[in-house]
């Protein structure tokens, strides 16, 4: 990055932090990892859970910048600094720009960690499924379970060929170190062809009590989900990472809006960072807008229902969910909703972030 492209000079917005690239790692012929240094003042905001992602601001000659989400391959239990992994994609401006230009010492604007693809209990047994760069958040979960949990882990990792395998050396080392708890199965399309539902069902049938986390191309996730369902794995044990392209600019400065509560209004009790707040929530507005207007530092990123940064739990009350496609059925059953999308349906609500 040149000095002219420095994010500190480009108005990256107040919610972003400027992180420094301390290491660039060649993971495979078309994949690189960036290790990022987080300034001390931003460390609390950049604590993350296994399987989450970061949103990076990438310079663009056409639009000024683009925002792209990249999963963390590091583990909060084993790594001193966060690491994101980027694979080149055909026509992928952000990934290609980073692979060509990211260098040690360069700075980049980054939003705090987000995402719901993360296990609730590291002591469970896990059947992890990944294809291509979908191994990135799976790697974060894998390392975290092995280091901080006591369950068993099986990884089924699909790639086109041997040279496409990301983290090959690290996976070998982990398999040797945790031989009694971790098994990795490599599926190479060049040798075995594309995996079928029947093949994957036969494999999954040995691990029906495990929690499955799946990340990769849509077709891969669909065939794995079908295989797991076929062998009777309960829906609540199947977790998919659903990435959706951002259409807006999550780095843009948020303009305060006047919230008109002349219509129907709900009374909301909101617990945020351990503090209780009482707000009037107009039934035609989303909760992120209402909290911002009240001066609260609500967690959010895309404001499009695509990232999960603003996920909150409904303790009492009911909302219209809006665009909640990234939430799993089990999440919704447990009261999770997206604050940037939801509108109140009941007159009183109790909510926790």
């Amino acid at each position: 990055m040149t000095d002219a492209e420095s994010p500190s000079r480009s108005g990256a917005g107040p919610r972003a932090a400027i992180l420094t690239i301390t290491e660039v790692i060649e993971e495979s012929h078309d994949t690189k990892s960036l290790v990022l240094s987080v300034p001390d003042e931003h460390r609390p905001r950049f604590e993350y859970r296994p399987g989450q992602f970061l949103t990076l601001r990438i310079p663009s000659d056409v639009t000024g910048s683009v925002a792209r989400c990249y999963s963390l391959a590091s583990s909060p239990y084993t790594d001193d600094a966060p690491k994101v992994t980027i694979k080149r994609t055909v026509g992928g401006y952000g990934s290609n720009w980073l692979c060509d230009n990211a260098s040690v010492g360069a700075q980049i604007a980054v939003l705090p960690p987000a995402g719901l693809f993360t296990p609730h209990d590291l002591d469970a047994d896990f059947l992890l499924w990944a294809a291509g760069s979908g191994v990135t958040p799976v790697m974060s979960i894998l390392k975290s379970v092995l280091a901080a949990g006591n369950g068993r882990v099986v990884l089924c990792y699909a790639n086109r060929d041997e040279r496409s395998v990301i983290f090959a050396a690290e996976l070998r080392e982990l398999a040797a170190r945790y031989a009694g708890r971790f098994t990795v199965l490599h599926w190479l399309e060049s040798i075995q062809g594309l995996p079928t539902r029947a093949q994957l069902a036969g494999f999954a049938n040995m691990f029906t009590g495990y929690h499955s986390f799946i990340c990769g191309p849509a077709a891969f996730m669909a065939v794995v989900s079908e295989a797991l369902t076929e062998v009777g794995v309960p829906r609540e044990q199947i977790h998919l990472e659903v990435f959706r392209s951002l259409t807006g600019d999550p780095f843009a400065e948020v303009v305060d809006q006047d919230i008109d509560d002349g219509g129907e209004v709900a009374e909301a009790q909101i617990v945020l960072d351990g503090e209780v707040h009482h707000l009037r929530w107009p039934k035609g507005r989303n909760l992120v807008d209402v909290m911002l207007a009240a001066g609260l530092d609500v967690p959010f990123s895309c404001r499009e229902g695509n990232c999960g940064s603003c996920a909150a739990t409904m303790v009492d009350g009911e909302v219209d969910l809006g665009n909640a496609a990234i939430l799993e059925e089990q999440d919704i059953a447990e009261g999770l909703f997206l604050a940037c999308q939801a509108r109140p349906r009941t007159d009183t609500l109790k909510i926790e972030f």
Side-chain angles (χ1 to χ4, degrees):
M1 299 180 189
T2 65
D3 188 57
E5 294 165 338
S6 171
S8 59
R9 296 172 176 260
S10 59
R15 295 184 305 111
I18 307 303
L19 308 188
T20 302
I21 300 172
T22 58
E23 190 175 0
V24 178
I25 303 169
E26 298 276 352
E27 302 287 5
S28 72
H29 73 284
D30 60 356
T31 305
K32 293 183 179 181
S33 289
L34 309 181
V35 180
L36 303 168
S37 175
V38 181
D40 290 342
E41 65 269 24
H42 293 300
R43 291 199 175 198
R45 292 201 301 138
F46 277 80
E47 293 180 355
Y48 63 95
R49 299 191 303 275
Q52 290 194 304
F53 63 84
L54 297 178
T55 304
L56 278 57
R57 187 175 190 262
I58 302 164
S60 167
D61 293 336
V62 178
T63 60
S65 68
V66 295
R68 295 291 185 268
C69 301
Y70 296 103
S71 294
L72 288 150
S74 52
S75 163
Y77 300 96
T78 63
D79 298 287
D80 294 330
K83 178 179 75 173
V84 293
T85 301
I86 299 103
K87 180 176 182 177
R88 290 184 184 273
T89 57
V90 177
Y93 174 80
S95 59
N96 291 329
W97 193 96
L98 286 170
C99 286
D100 289 336
N101 295 279
S103 58
V104 172
Q107 293 183 319
I108 190 165
V110 183
L111 292 177
L116 304 173
F117 187 68
T118 182
H120 297 297
D121 179 11
L122 296 179
D123 290 329
D125 294 326
F126 292 88
L127 179 55
L128 306 177
W129 306 83
S133 59
V135 74
T136 305
V138 166
M139 193 69 174
S140 179
I141 295 170
L142 165 63
K143 293 195 293 184
S144 298
V145 172
L146 293 176
N150 55 34
R152 292 165 293 181
V153 186
V154 177
L155 168 63
C156 180
Y157 184 20
N159 281 283
R160 287 193 180 93
D161 48 42
E162 189 172 357
R163 76 172 190 147
S164 301
V165 178
I166 305 170
F167 310 128
E170 190 172 5
L171 286 170
R172 284 195 299 271
E173 191 275 331
L174 288 170
R177 190 194 317 172
Y178 296 96
R181 294 178 55 206
F182 172 47
T183 302
V184 56
L185 168 68
H186 289 284
W187 188 291
L188 301 180
E189 181 183 343
S190 59
I191 298 173
Q192 298 153 283
L194 291 173
T196 67
R197 182 175 66 181
Q199 289 170 321
L200 296 183
F203 176 67
N205 196 42
M206 298 184 289
F207 307 100
T208 53
Y210 286 42
H211 285 264
S212 280
F213 281 75
I214 312 163
C215 188
F220 173 80
M221 293 199 295
V223 73
V224 173
S225 297
E226 291 167 1
L228 291 168
T229 301
E230 182 178 305
V231 300
V233 176
R235 181 63 186 86
E236 61 269 19
Q237 291 177 206
I238 303 173
H239 310 273
L240 294 86
E241 174 66 308
V242 181
F243 269 117
R244 300 182 183 274
S245 298
L246 304 182
T247 58
D249 180 7
F251 290 89
E253 187 168 357
V254 178
V255 178
D256 290 337
Q257 302 181 37
D258 292 328
I259 301 296
D260 181 10
D261 63 0
E264 290 187 85
V265 177
E267 299 292 335
Q269 176 182 297
I270 300 169
V271 179
L272 176 65
D273 296 330
E275 295 186 8
V276 179
H277 306 271
H278 295 273
L279 297 180
R280 291 171 57 81
W281 182 1
K283 293 190 176 181
R285 302 302 296 266
N286 70 67
L287 185 55
V288 166
D289 286 347
V290 173
M291 293 178 69
L292 290 173
L296 299 181
D297 188 20
V298 55
F300 71 95
S301 182
C302 73
R303 302 179 78 180
E304 301 169 7
N306 291 336
C307 73
S309 302
C310 63
T313 300
M314 183 63 63
V315 178
D316 186 36
E318 188 176 351
V319 294
D320 284 319
L321 292 174
N323 174 25
I326 70 165
L327 297 180
E328 298 181 17
E329 293 178 7
Q330 184 68 18
D331 293 328
I332 295 173
E334 293 175 356
L336 210 65
F337 70 95
L338 302 178
C340 73
Q341 298 294 306
R343 268 71 170 172
R345 295 185 64 181
T346 53
D347 293 332
T348 60
L349 307 102
K350 293 183 179 179
I351 296 159
E352 292 181 354
F353 280 87

